[in-house]
Amino acid sequence: MLKDGQERNQFGLVLLSAFYECGFIFEAQEQIYRCKVDGCENTFNDTSWLQYAIPRDNNKERPESCERYAPYTAIEHCTPDEFSNRTIPCDGFVYELNGSLVEEFDLGCQEWKRALVGTVHNSGMFVAMLFTGILSDRFGRKAAVGLAATASCLFGILRAFSPNYAMYMAMHFFEAAFGGGLYPSAYVLAVELVGLKQRVIVSAMCNMAFVVGVVLLALLAWFVNNWRTYILILYSPAIIVGLYVWLMNESARWLLSKGRKEDAIKTLKRAAKLNNMDPAKLDLDALSDPLLKSEVTPDKKSQFSKAIRSSIIWKRLVVCSFLWLTCSLVYYGLSINSVSLSDNKYVSFMLVTVVEIPAYIIVVIVLDKYGRKKTMVANYMTCAVTSLLFAFLPKGNWYSIVLYLIGKWSVTLTYSSVYIYVSEVFPTNMRQMLLSICSTSGRIGSLIAPLTPLLSHYHKSMPTVIFGGMCIICTMLVFLLPETRNIRLPDTIEEAEELSRKKRRAEPLTDIK
């Protein structure tokens, strides 16, 4: 492997992508509020009037958020005899936390508007996955990363100065739609920088960098209450990234796939110098264009059309997309229901995130030792079993918490395995595009996940039963896929098809990754 000094840069990009993918969680977090009662609010620190002015919620823990007792006449002294037992909707609100998005845009009792922030964000990410792959495969990995970082910076900072809810939502969508490809683009670039022996390690390091970013995000939200300041802190680093990324080297593998052999050799020679190696000893001039065969064939149609006409490729694409969708749905579904693990929502969020780190460490070992297929089968089945047991066992016991954590750990390990696997089974000239299609399917899962708690109104175990059932289906689908352990990345559609036809060994070619 030739290191060109960019590995740490890719991990930094992944860390930033964690800010931009998960930042909305605390940006539009749930707030505690109650009705504003004119005539009573000027009683300074005396809140004893709340007991007869506002009913208690169902848990009797705090005043009702959206209703208050109707006064007989205009309130003068805020005494019990001025209020009836009839409730009326609030016409104003008092928010517990000043400087929050909910307070500034006055979203009290409009929970759907607050929840819509996440839906709009994930919708933008969905759109990003549609064109990021095409952009990356046609114009290069560096161009895709640069566009995503620049768009995140521009629309993110504009969002911080939104004067109203409508502009805020529009900027949120545009930021996700044009900047949502930062993680997959940085990931593919990182994978193509290393050899086949280092792919798993690099993928695990990318995932751990994402976890670090999420933890830093929660810590920032814990100490910064003003949502505008919070956004500005998150998106300011993207200014530097948007400028610096154009100084980075392009993927040598992508350059070769586009027939730009001279540019690829220059990139590898620069990498050789950084590694204190003599470029003359690497025989770089002997590198061949991995797509030479496809360029001389009479097929004039696009590579995407050629891939779709391959039954092996499109069937593989369908299966991988479903695997990704399931991982996304279960992963985010379990995360959404994790806030009850601690009284402090920030601590809960960090705990659920940190539990992923052991999975990212172990995945480095098990994927190379046992292979991709065995790892995915074992962890899909583990997640299925723990989800079904958690659904029907009594809640609140120590073993139910253990089952929950094992389920989250196993789906995290599976998610990482699927991401690595999908990047290995598609050809170089179509890898980013097909990976983006699979990732788009995953976005469907992330769009559905916030709605799964509603299913518990019909049956409290329905969400986890669905999670378990989908994991069982994925377990069976994995058996239809080829193994990719110790096999070089396919460069052409023909090489990718060959993975399913027979078990290939790594070829003794010069490793340009």
Side-chain angles (χ1 to χ4, degrees):
M1 175 182 67
L2 292 178
K3 297 182 179 180
D4 65 354
Q6 295 188 161
E7 293 84 359
R8 63 176 65 91
N9 299 330
Q10 309 313 316
F11 301 143
L13 292 173
V14 169
L15 188 146
L16 279 182
S17 71
F19 291 172
Y20 309 149
E21 288 196 28
C22 302
F24 75 92
I25 295 175
F26 294 111
E27 185 179 322
Q29 58 184 303
E30 185 178 4
Q31 297 295 324
I32 297 174
Y33 52 86
R34 61 169 175 81
C35 287
K36 181 179 181 180
V37 182
D38 293 327
C40 295
E41 300 296 340
N42 58 351
T43 55
F44 299 100
N45 293 327
D46 180 17
T47 58
S48 59
W49 56 270
L50 289 173
Q51 59 185 321
Y52 50 79
I54 303 176
R56 310 296 286 182
D57 62 10
N58 293 332
N59 296 324
K60 307 298 182 182
E61 294 179 354
R62 59 173 62 97
E64 180 64 51
S65 298
C66 301
E67 292 182 332
R68 66 185 182 93
Y69 290 123
Y72 291 112
T73 59
I75 300 173
E76 296 182 0
H77 305 291
C78 196
T79 56
D81 56 5
E82 293 182 277
F83 295 91
S84 68
N85 291 327
R86 182 172 60 89
T87 60
I88 59 174
C90 302
D91 52 12
F93 301 91
V94 175
Y95 297 89
E96 184 178 77
L97 184 62
N98 293 324
S100 68
L101 179 81
V102 174
E103 185 258 349
E104 184 164 338
F105 291 148
D106 197 20
L107 302 182
C109 290
Q110 300 180 79
E111 184 65 16
W112 66 273
K113 283 189 175 182
R114 188 192 66 82
L116 193 62
V117 173
T119 302
V120 168
H121 176 85
N122 286 329
S123 298
M125 297 292 290
F126 185 94
V127 172
M129 296 302 103
L130 297 178
F131 72 85
T132 298
I134 299 174
L135 174 66
S136 178
D137 286 332
R138 182 169 182 177
F139 298 104
R141 313 321 191 198
K142 192 170 68 171
V145 171
L147 174 63
T150 303
S152 294
C153 175
L154 175 62
F155 293 112
I157 292 179
L158 285 176
R159 188 166 80 246
F161 294 98
S162 299
N164 52 58
Y165 177 79
M167 179 177 174
Y168 169 81
M169 294 296 282
M171 293 301 101
H172 225 309
F173 177 82
F174 289 137
E175 184 266 316
F178 291 100
L182 183 60
Y183 181 84
S185 299
Y187 177 86
V188 169
L189 182 55
V191 168
E192 292 185 345
L193 284 173
V194 300
L196 63 89
K197 293 294 185 180
Q198 291 80 28
R199 291 200 303 251
V200 175
I201 296 177
V202 167
S203 178
M205 292 179 69
C206 285
N207 289 327
M208 284 189 279
F210 193 92
V211 169
V212 172
V214 173
V215 172
L216 292 176
L217 176 73
L219 287 173
L220 176 64
W222 196 350
F223 293 104
V224 178
N225 293 326
N226 187 281
W227 70 277
R228 295 184 188 272
T229 304
Y230 169 80
I231 292 177
L232 289 174
I233 295 175
L234 283 185
Y235 286 87
S236 293
I239 299 175
I240 301 174
V241 175
L243 297 174
Y244 174 74
V245 71
W246 303 108
L247 302 177
M248 296 168 53
N249 292 328
E250 182 57 88
S251 165
R253 177 174 285 278
W254 178 83
L255 291 171
L256 282 176
S257 73
K258 293 299 180 180
R260 295 168 56 180
K261 180 178 177 181
E262 294 300 323
D263 292 333
I265 291 176
K266 290 179 182 178
T267 296
L268 292 172
K269 285 183 176 180
R270 285 195 295 268
K273 291 180 180 179
L274 289 175
N275 287 267
N276 296 320
M277 300 174 64
D278 185 359
K281 296 181 179 180
L282 297 179
D283 195 22
L284 296 177
D285 292 329
L287 290 174
S288 61
D289 184 352
L291 300 181
L292 186 59
K293 293 180 182 179
S294 62
E295 289 182 1
V296 298
T297 57
D299 184 13
K300 301 297 183 181
K301 295 187 177 181
S302 67
Q303 290 295 315
F304 183 74
S305 175
K306 186 177 180 181
I308 293 300
R309 287 189 290 108
S310 168
S311 60
I312 294 176
I313 297 298
W314 73 258
K315 288 178 182 178
R316 188 179 299 170
L317 178 64
V318 171
V319 172
C320 288
S321 295
F322 186 80
L323 297 183
W324 204 313
L325 185 150
T326 299
C327 283
S328 183
L329 175 63
V330 177
Y331 176 87
Y332 288 108
L334 291 176
S335 298
I336 288 171
N337 294 292
S338 67
V339 294
S340 60
L341 293 178
S342 170
D343 293 334
N344 188 311
K345 56 187 172 184
Y346 304 106
V347 172
S348 297
F349 190 79
M350 287 187 283
L351 287 175
V352 171
T353 302
V354 170
V355 78
E356 301 174 19
I357 293 180
Y360 295 138
I361 296 175
I362 293 175
V363 74
V364 176
I365 302 172
V366 297
L367 282 181
D368 280 336
K369 184 174 182 180
Y370 301 106
R372 281 52 165 162
K373 291 181 64 175
K374 290 182 180 178
T375 300
M376 289 190 289
V377 166
N379 283 282
Y380 270 125
M381 184 54 66
T382 299
C383 188
V385 171
T386 54
S387 296
L388 294 174
L389 288 176
F390 184 82
F392 298 106
L393 288 177
K395 307 298 186 295
N397 298 304
W398 65 269
Y399 48 81
S400 65
I401 297 176
V402 171
L403 286 173
Y404 178 87
L405 293 177
I406 293 176
K408 183 60 163 51
W409 175 85
S410 61
V411 74
T412 299
L413 201 153
T414 307
Y415 213 158
S416 181
S417 303
V418 169
Y419 211 120
I420 294 171
Y421 183 82
V422 171
S423 68
E424 294 177 332
V425 292
F426 296 122
T428 297
N429 59 331
M430 297 293 297
R431 184 172 298 121
Q432 178 76 68
M433 180 185 295
L434 297 179
L435 187 147
S436 293
I437 292 175
C438 295
S439 183
T440 299
S441 301
R443 288 297 164 190
I444 297 176
S446 66
L447 285 171
I448 299 173
L451 304 177
T452 55
L454 299 177
L455 298 175
S456 60
H457 293 299
Y458 299 96
H459 194 285
K460 63 179 182 179
S461 300
M462 188 175 293
T464 47
V465 168
I466 292 176
F467 297 158
M470 293 187 69
C471 286
I472 291 175
I473 295 174
C474 287
T475 302
M476 295 183 289
L477 289 177
V478 171
F479 288 105
L480 303 177
L481 299 171
E483 178 58 71
T484 59
R485 180 179 59 165
N486 292 332
I487 295 179
R488 55 166 289 182
L489 292 176
D491 288 312
T492 64
I493 292 176
E494 290 75 17
E495 289 181 357
E497 290 176 330
E498 190 69 14
L499 293 175
S500 295
R501 294 196 179 105
K502 64 179 182 179
K503 296 181 180 179
R504 296 191 305 157
R505 301 190 177 205
E507 300 178 28
L509 299 177
T510 302
D511 193 349
I512 66 170
K513 299 177 279 298

